[in-house]
Amino acid sequence: MIYSKFGTALALLSKTQSAGGQVCVQATADGAADIHEYKLADLTADDGSAEINAAVAKLPLKVFENKSGRRRKPL
């Protein structure tokens, strides 16, 4: 089981990775509908970091839509 640094059980949904290589996970807290983002350093697990790394490795990478359309020109 994966927990936040405050001991709340989390359901992991997806992960992101910054250009600098920092991985964050998106998760819902136990019983809540809101999705929050957590740094890996802020997570704990029953079996330690090996459990966290295994769970994160299975998560899909969250892809952001590239909105590279044309901008409107001012009148």
Side-chain angles (χ1 to χ4, degrees):
M1 179 62 76
I2 308 292
Y3 304 95
S4 71
K5 66 181 176 181
F6 301 110
T8 305
L10 299 175
L12 304 181
L13 303 172
S14 61
K15 64 184 173 185
T16 57
Q17 186 170 3
S18 71
Q22 181 176 351
V23 176
C24 294
V25 296
Q26 294 72 44
T28 57
D30 188 31
D34 295 337
I35 297 173
H36 296 279
E37 187 163 279
Y38 298 89
K39 295 178 183 177
L40 290 186
D42 293 339
L43 301 178
T44 60
D46 295 333
D47 294 332
S49 62
E51 183 179 358
I52 294 169
N53 292 337
V56 171
K58 295 177 185 176
L59 292 175
L61 188 62
K62 184 175 181 179
V63 178
F64 296 97
E65 182 180 336
N66 185 5
K67 296 185 179 185
S68 60
R70 294 183 181 180
R71 291 185 168 199
R72 286 183 22 191
K73 294 182 180 179
L75 298 175

